[in-house]
Amino acid sequence: MGRAFEFRKARKFKRWAAMAKTFTRLGKDIVMAVKEGGPHPESNSRLRAVIQNAKAANMPKENIERAIKKATEKDTANYKEVLFEGYAPHGIAVLIETATDNNNRTVANIRSYFNKCNGTLGTSGSVEFMFDHTCNFRINGNGIDPEELELEMIDFGAEEVFVDEDGILIYAPFESFGAIQKELESRNIEILSSGFERIPQVTKELTREEQADVEKLLEKIEEDEDVQQVYHTMKEAEE
């Protein structure tokens, strides 16, 4: 199996503990999708993808509909996606995806977490190159041969296809998202969820004490309401 498989396996045991945090993150995704392409999922591919993810996270239908309605209102904040980069203790690179309606607040908060935990907030481009920006799809695997699917999806950019208890997973470069989404939909293959991830090209193994130092920073960052995703180059501990 490739890096995407190992990355996903490690992250499945980690984080996204609070359901409320997940719903908040998805709510922002819905707002950004509606602001970008309108409130109708039939004509807005990004919104279709976010709704699939919301359903996969067991977000109630009324919550989804409420978020779409709210996003169409003029006084609803327009979130901006901002990437932060830096180093945790022990040379661990950290990449943070945020969605914020107040960039000054977010910058100040993220900087304070790094300062308090002996890390360093870096400049744009300082660590992003250490991660591969990928897209992924989780599909219903009933009646589908994953090896055959992989051969067919290579033409649309797929690099890795594998099976786990959640279905069939397809990983590809970030820019292949639209082509793969369109092809899966044209085949009437059920997309259970989809998204984007940043997979570290190299990970660093730390002692338990060093891991605790890094975890302290990661937890502070992840608790921030503006933070959508956090990636790092620390090798995940085996569960």
Side-chain angles (χ1 to χ4, degrees), residues 68-132:
I68 293 173
K69 185 175 183 295
K70 184 180 178 185
T72 62
E73 297 171 0
K74 288 184 179 179
D75 59 349
T76 300
N78 195 5
Y79 296 104
K80 182 182 178 185
E81 293 174 290
V82 182
L83 193 66
F84 291 91
E85 307 172 47
Y87 281 94
H90 313 296
I92 298 300
V94 181
L95 199 57
I96 307 157
E97 294 177 348
T98 69
T100 178
D101 59 352
N102 185 331
N103 193 52
N104 290 336
R105 175 193 67 217
T106 310
V107 171
N109 287 345
I110 298 295
R111 180 177 285 115
S112 73
Y113 306 143
F114 276 95
N115 290 343
K116 288 174 183 174
C117 298
N118 299 316
T120 307
L121 182 62
T123 55
S124 177
S126 57
V127 306
E128 186 181 6
F129 68 94
M130 300 179 188
F131 299 79
D132 291 330

Coordinates of all heavy atoms in Angstrom, one line a residue, residues 68-132:
I68 N -27.5 26.0 4.6 CA -27.6 26.5 3.2 C -28.5 27.7 3.1 O -28.1 28.7 2.5 CB -28.3 25.4 2.3 CG1 -27.3 24.2 2.1 CG2 -28.6 25.9 0.9 CD1 -27.9 23.0 1.4
K69 N -29.6 27.7 3.9 CA -30.5 28.9 3.9 C -29.7 30.1 4.5 O -29.8 31.2 3.9 CB -31.7 28.6 4.7 CG -32.8 29.7 4.7 CD -34.0 29.3 5.4 CE -35.1 30.4 5.4 NZ -34.7 31.6 6.1
K70 N -29.0 29.9 5.6 CA -28.3 31.0 6.2 C -27.2 31.6 5.3 O -27.0 32.8 5.3 CB -27.6 30.5 7.5 CG -26.9 31.6 8.3 CD -26.3 31.0 9.6 CE -25.6 32.1 10.3 NZ -24.9 31.5 11.5
A71 N -26.6 30.7 4.5 CA -25.5 31.1 3.6 C -26.0 32.1 2.5 O -25.2 32.9 2.0 CB -24.8 29.9 3.0
T72 N -27.3 32.0 2.2 CA -27.9 32.9 1.2 C -28.2 34.3 1.7 O -28.5 35.2 0.9 CB -29.1 32.2 0.5 OG1 -30.2 32.1 1.6 CG2 -28.8 30.9 0.0
E73 N -28.2 34.4 3.0 CA -28.6 35.7 3.6 C -27.4 36.7 3.5 O -26.3 36.3 3.6 CB -29.0 35.5 5.0 CG -30.2 34.7 5.2 CD -30.5 34.3 6.7 OE1 -29.7 34.7 7.5 OE2 -31.5 33.6 6.9
K74 N -27.7 37.9 3.2 CA -26.7 38.9 2.9 C -25.8 39.2 4.1 O -24.6 39.5 4.0 CB -27.3 40.2 2.4 CG -27.9 40.2 1.0 CD -28.4 41.5 0.6 CE -29.0 41.4 -0.9 NZ -29.5 42.7 -1.3
D75 N -26.4 39.1 5.3 CA -25.6 39.5 6.5 C -24.7 38.3 7.0 O -24.1 38.4 8.1 CB -26.5 40.0 7.6 CG -27.6 39.0 8.0 OD1 -27.7 38.0 7.3 OD2 -28.2 39.2 9.1
T76 N -24.8 37.2 6.3 CA -24.0 36.0 6.8 C -22.5 36.3 6.4 O -22.2 36.7 5.3 CB -24.4 34.7 6.1 OG1 -25.8 34.5 6.5 CG2 -23.6 33.5 6.5
A77 N -21.6 36.0 7.4 CA -20.2 36.3 7.2 C -19.7 35.4 6.0 O -20.1 34.3 5.8 CB -19.4 36.0 8.4
N78 N -18.8 36.0 5.2 CA -18.2 35.3 4.1 C -16.8 34.8 4.6 O -15.9 35.6 4.9 CB -18.0 36.1 2.9 CG -17.7 35.3 1.7 OD1 -17.7 34.1 1.7 ND2 -17.4 36.0 0.6
Y79 N -16.6 33.5 4.8 CA -15.4 33.0 5.3 C -14.3 32.9 4.2 O -14.6 32.6 3.1 CB -15.6 31.6 5.9 CG -16.5 31.6 7.1 CD1 -17.8 31.1 7.0 CD2 -16.1 32.0 8.3 CE1 -18.7 31.1 8.0 CE2 -16.9 32.0 9.4 CZ -18.2 31.6 9.3 OH -19.1 31.6 10.3
K80 N -13.1 33.2 4.6 CA -11.9 33.2 3.7 C -11.0 32.0 4.2 O -10.8 31.9 5.4 CB -11.2 34.5 3.8 CG -10.0 34.6 2.9 CD -9.3 35.9 3.0 CE -8.0 36.0 2.2 NZ -7.3 37.3 2.4
E81 N -10.6 31.2 3.2 CA -9.7 30.1 3.5 C -8.2 30.7 3.6 O -7.7 31.3 2.7 CB -9.8 29.1 2.5 CG -11.2 28.4 2.5 CD -11.3 27.4 1.3 OE1 -11.4 27.8 0.2 OE2 -11.4 26.2 1.6
V82 N -7.6 30.5 4.8 CA -6.2 31.0 5.0 C -5.4 29.8 5.5 O -5.8 29.1 6.4 CB -6.2 32.1 6.0 CG1 -4.8 32.7 6.2 CG2 -7.2 33.2 5.6
L83 N -4.2 29.7 4.9 CA -3.3 28.6 5.3 C -2.2 29.2 6.2 O -1.6 30.2 5.9 CB -2.6 28.0 4.0 CG -1.9 26.7 4.2 CD1 -2.8 25.6 4.5 CD2 -1.2 26.4 2.8
F84 N -1.9 28.5 7.3 CA -0.8 28.9 8.2 C 0.2 27.8 8.3 O -0.1 26.6 8.2 CB -1.4 29.2 9.6 CG -2.2 30.4 9.8 CD1 -3.6 30.3 9.6 CD2 -1.7 31.6 10.0 CE1 -4.4 31.4 9.7 CE2 -2.5 32.8 10.1 CZ -3.8 32.7 9.9
E85 N 1.5 28.2 8.4 CA 2.6 27.3 8.4 C 3.5 27.6 9.5 O 3.7 28.7 9.9 CB 3.3 27.3 7.1 CG 2.4 27.2 5.9 CD 3.1 27.5 4.5 OE1 4.2 26.9 4.3 OE2 2.6 28.2 3.7
G86 N 4.1 26.5 10.1 CA 5.1 26.8 11.2 C 5.7 25.5 11.7 O 5.6 24.4 11.0
Y87 N 6.5 25.6 12.7 CA 7.2 24.5 13.3 C 6.8 24.3 14.8 O 6.8 25.3 15.6 CB 8.7 24.7 13.2 CG 9.2 24.4 11.8 CD1 9.4 25.4 10.9 CD2 9.6 23.0 11.5 CE1 9.9 25.1 9.6 CE2 10.1 22.8 10.2 CZ 10.2 23.8 9.3 OH 10.7 23.5 8.1
A88 N 6.4 23.1 15.1 CA 6.2 22.7 16.5 C 7.6 22.4 17.1 O 8.6 22.4 16.4 CB 5.3 21.5 16.6
P89 N 7.6 22.1 18.4 CA 8.9 21.7 19.0 C 9.5 20.5 18.3 O 8.7 19.7 17.7 CB 8.6 21.4 20.5 CG 7.3 22.2 20.7 CD 6.6 22.2 19.4
H90 N 10.8 20.3 18.4 CA 11.5 19.1 17.9 C 11.5 19.1 16.3 O 11.6 18.0 15.8 CB 11.0 17.9 18.5 CG 10.8 18.0 20.0 ND1 11.9 18.1 20.8 CD2 9.7 17.9 20.8 CE1 11.5 18.2 22.1 NE2 10.1 18.1 22.1
G91 N 11.3 20.2 15.7 CA 11.4 20.3 14.2 C 10.3 19.7 13.5 O 10.4 19.3 12.3
I92 N 9.1 19.6 14.1 CA 7.9 19.1 13.4 C 7.2 20.2 12.6 O 6.8 21.2 13.2 CB 7.0 18.4 14.4 CG1 7.6 17.2 15.1 CG2 5.7 18.0 13.7 CD1 8.1 16.1 14.1
A93 N 7.1 20.0 11.3 CA 6.4 21.0 10.5 C 4.9 20.8 10.7 O 4.3 19.7 10.8 CB 6.7 20.8 9.0
V94 N 4.2 22.0 10.7 CA 2.7 22.0 11.0 C 2.1 22.9 9.9 O 2.5 24.0 9.6 CB 2.4 22.6 12.4 CG1 0.9 22.6 12.6 CG2 3.1 21.8 13.5
L95 N 1.0 22.4 9.3 CA 0.3 23.1 8.3 C -1.2 23.2 8.8 O -1.8 22.2 9.1 CB 0.4 22.3 7.0 CG 0.1 23.0 5.7 CD1 0.9 24.2 5.5 CD2 0.2 22.0 4.5
I96 N -1.7 24.4 8.8 CA -3.1 24.6 9.3 C -4.0 25.3 8.3 O -3.7 26.3 7.8 CB -2.9 25.5 10.6 CG1 -1.9 25.0 11.6 CG2 -4.3 25.7 11.2 CD1 -1.4 26.1 12.5
E97 N -5.1 24.6 8.1 CA -6.1 25.2 7.2 C -7.2 25.8 8.0 O -7.7 25.2 8.9 CB -6.7 24.1 6.3 CG -5.8 23.5 5.3 CD -6.4 22.4 4.5 OE1 -7.5 21.9 4.8 OE2 -5.7 21.9 3.5
T98 N -7.5 27.1 7.8 CA -8.5 27.8 8.5 C -9.6 28.4 7.6 O -9.3 28.5 6.4 CB -7.9 29.0 9.3 OG1 -7.5 30.0 8.4 CG2 -6.7 28.5 10.2
A99 N -10.7 28.6 8.2 CA -11.8 29.4 7.5 C -12.2 30.5 8.4 O -12.8 30.2 9.5 CB -13.0 28.4 7.1
T100 N -11.9 31.7 8.0 CA -12.1 32.8 9.0 C -12.9 34.0 8.4 O -12.7 34.3 7.2 CB -10.8 33.3 9.6 OG1 -11.0 34.4 10.5 CG2 -9.8 33.7 8.4
D101 N -13.6 34.7 9.2 CA -14.3 35.9 8.8 C -13.6 37.1 9.5 O -14.0 38.2 9.4 CB -15.7 35.9 9.2 CG -16.0 35.7 10.7 OD1 -15.0 35.4 11.4 OD2 -17.1 35.9 11.1
N102 N -12.4 36.8 10.2 CA -11.6 37.9 10.8 C -10.2 37.4 10.8 O -9.7 36.8 11.8 CB -12.2 38.1 12.2 CG -11.4 39.3 12.9 OD1 -10.3 39.6 12.6 ND2 -12.1 40.0 13.8
N103 N -9.5 37.8 9.8 CA -8.1 37.3 9.7 C -7.2 37.7 10.8 O -6.3 37.0 11.2 CB -7.5 37.7 8.3 CG -6.2 36.9 8.0 OD1 -6.2 35.7 8.0 ND2 -5.2 37.6 7.6
N104 N -7.4 39.0 11.2 CA -6.5 39.5 12.3 C -6.6 38.7 13.6 O -5.7 38.4 14.3 CB -6.9 41.0 12.6 CG -6.4 41.9 11.5 OD1 -5.5 41.6 10.7 ND2 -7.1 43.0 11.4
R105 N -7.9 38.3 13.9 CA -8.1 37.5 15.1 C -7.4 36.1 14.9 O -6.8 35.6 15.9 CB -9.6 37.3 15.3 CG -10.0 36.3 16.4 CD -11.5 35.9 16.3 NE -11.8 35.1 15.1 CZ -12.9 35.2 14.4 NH1 -13.8 36.1 14.7 NH2 -13.0 34.4 13.3
T106 N -7.6 35.5 13.8 CA -7.1 34.2 13.5 C -5.5 34.2 13.6 O -4.9 33.3 14.2 CB -7.5 33.6 12.2 OG1 -9.0 33.8 12.1 CG2 -7.2 32.2 12.0
V107 N -4.9 35.2 13.0 CA -3.5 35.3 13.0 C -3.0 35.4 14.4 O -2.0 34.7 14.8 CB -3.0 36.5 12.2 CG1 -1.5 36.7 12.4 CG2 -3.3 36.3 10.7
A108 N -3.6 36.3 15.2 CA -3.2 36.5 16.6 C -3.3 35.2 17.4 O -2.4 34.9 18.2 CB -4.0 37.6 17.2
N109 N -4.4 34.5 17.2 CA -4.6 33.3 18.0 C -3.6 32.2 17.6 O -3.0 31.6 18.5 CB -6.1 32.7 17.7 CG -7.1 33.6 18.4 OD1 -6.8 34.4 19.3 ND2 -8.4 33.4 18.0
I110 N -3.4 32.0 16.3 CA -2.5 30.9 15.9 C -1.1 31.3 16.4 O -0.3 30.4 16.9 CB -2.5 30.8 14.3 CG1 -3.9 30.3 13.9 CG2 -1.4 29.8 13.9 CD1 -4.4 29.0 14.3
R111 N -0.7 32.5 16.3 CA 0.7 32.9 16.7 C 0.8 32.7 18.2 O 1.9 32.2 18.7 CB 0.9 34.4 16.4 CG 2.3 34.9 16.9 CD 2.6 36.3 16.5 NE 2.9 36.4 15.1 CZ 2.1 37.1 14.2 NH1 1.0 37.7 14.6 NH2 2.5 37.2 12.9
S112 N -0.2 32.9 19.0 CA -0.1 32.8 20.4 C 0.0 31.3 20.8 O 0.7 31.0 21.8 CB -1.4 33.3 21.1 OG -2.5 32.5 20.9
Y113 N -0.6 30.4 20.1 CA -0.5 29.0 20.3 C 1.0 28.5 20.1 O 1.5 27.8 20.9 CB -1.4 28.1 19.5 CG -2.9 28.5 19.5 CD1 -3.7 28.5 18.4 CD2 -3.4 29.0 20.7 CE1 -5.0 28.9 18.5 CE2 -4.8 29.4 20.8 CZ -5.5 29.3 19.7 OH -6.9 29.7 19.7
F114 N 1.5 28.9 19.0 CA 2.9 28.6 18.7 C 3.9 29.1 19.8 O 4.7 28.4 20.3 CB 3.4 29.1 17.3 CG 3.0 28.2 16.2 CD1 1.8 28.4 15.5 CD2 3.8 27.1 15.8 CE1 1.4 27.6 14.5 CE2 3.4 26.3 14.8 CZ 2.2 26.5 14.1
N115 N 3.7 30.4 20.2 CA 4.5 31.0 21.2 C 4.4 30.3 22.5 O 5.4 30.1 23.2 CB 4.1 32.5 21.3 CG 4.5 33.3 20.1 OD1 5.4 32.9 19.3 ND2 4.0 34.5 20.0
K116 N 3.2 30.0 22.9 CA 3.0 29.3 24.3 C 3.6 27.9 24.3 O 3.9 27.4 25.4 CB 1.5 29.3 24.6 CG 0.9 30.7 24.9 CD -0.6 30.6 25.1 CE -1.2 31.9 25.4 NZ -2.7 31.9 25.4
C117 N 3.7 27.3 23.2 CA 4.1 25.9 23.2 C 5.5 25.7 22.5 O 5.9 24.6 22.0 CB 3.1 25.0 22.4 SG 1.5 25.0 23.2
N118 N 6.3 26.8 22.6 CA 7.7 26.7 22.1 C 7.8 26.3 20.6 O 8.7 25.6 20.2 CB 8.5 25.7 22.9 CG 8.6 26.1 24.4 OD1 8.8 27.3 24.7 ND2 8.4 25.2 25.3
G119 N 6.8 26.8 19.8 CA 6.9 26.6 18.4 C 7.2 27.9 17.7 O 7.4 28.9 18.3
T120 N 7.2 27.9 16.4 CA 7.4 29.1 15.6 C 6.5 29.2 14.4 O 6.4 28.2 13.6 CB 8.9 29.0 15.0 OG1 9.8 28.8 16.1 CG2 9.2 30.4 14.3
L121 N 5.7 30.3 14.4 CA 4.8 30.5 13.2 C 5.7 31.0 12.1 O 6.4 31.9 12.2 CB 3.8 31.5 13.6 CG 2.7 31.9 12.5 CD1 1.9 30.6 12.1 CD2 1.8 33.0 12.9
G122 N 5.6 30.3 10.9 CA 6.5 30.6 9.8 C 5.8 31.5 8.8 O 4.7 31.9 8.9
T123 N 6.5 31.7 7.7 CA 6.0 32.5 6.6 C 5.4 31.6 5.6 O 5.6 30.4 5.6 CB 7.1 33.4 6.0 OG1 8.2 32.5 5.6 CG2 7.7 34.4 7.0
S124 N 4.6 32.3 4.6 CA 4.0 31.5 3.6 C 5.0 30.7 2.8 O 6.0 31.3 2.3 CB 3.2 32.5 2.7 OG 2.6 31.8 1.6
G125 N 4.8 29.5 2.6 CA 5.7 28.6 1.8 C 6.8 28.0 2.6 O 7.6 27.2 2.0
S126 N 6.8 28.2 3.9 CA 7.9 27.7 4.7 C 7.9 26.2 4.9 O 8.9 25.5 5.0 CB 8.0 28.4 6.0 OG 6.8 28.3 6.8
V127 N 6.6 25.6 5.0 CA 6.5 24.1 5.1 C 5.6 23.5 4.2 O 5.5 22.3 4.1 CB 6.1 23.8 6.6 CG1 7.1 24.4 7.6 CG2 4.7 24.1 6.9
E128 N 4.8 24.3 3.4 CA 3.8 23.7 2.6 C 4.4 22.7 1.6 O 3.7 21.7 1.2 CB 3.0 24.8 1.8 CG 1.8 24.3 1.0 CD 1.1 25.4 0.2 OE1 1.6 26.6 0.2 OE2 0.1 25.1 -0.4
F129 N 5.6 23.0 1.1 CA 6.2 22.1 0.1 C 6.5 20.7 0.7 O 6.8 19.8 -0.1 CB 7.5 22.8 -0.4 CG 8.6 22.8 0.6 CD1 9.6 21.8 0.7 CD2 8.7 23.9 1.5 CE1 10.6 21.9 1.7 CE2 9.7 24.0 2.5 CZ 10.6 23.0 2.6
M130 N 6.4 20.5 2.0 CA 6.7 19.2 2.6 C 5.5 18.3 2.5 O 5.6 17.1 2.9 CB 7.1 19.4 4.0 CG 8.4 20.2 4.2 SD 8.8 20.4 6.0 CE 10.1 21.6 6.0
F131 N 4.4 18.8 2.0 CA 3.1 18.0 2.0 C 2.6 17.9 0.6 O 2.7 18.9 -0.2 CB 2.1 18.7 2.9 CG 2.4 18.8 4.3 CD1 3.3 19.8 4.8 CD2 1.9 17.9 5.3 CE1 3.6 19.9 6.1 CE2 2.2 18.0 6.6 CZ 3.1 19.0 7.0
D132 N 2.1 16.8 0.2 CA 1.4 16.6 -1.1 C -0.1 16.9 -0.9 O -0.8 16.4 0.0 CB 1.5 15.2 -1.6 CG 2.9 14.8 -2.0 OD1 3.6 15.7 -2.4 OD2 3.3 13.6 -1.9

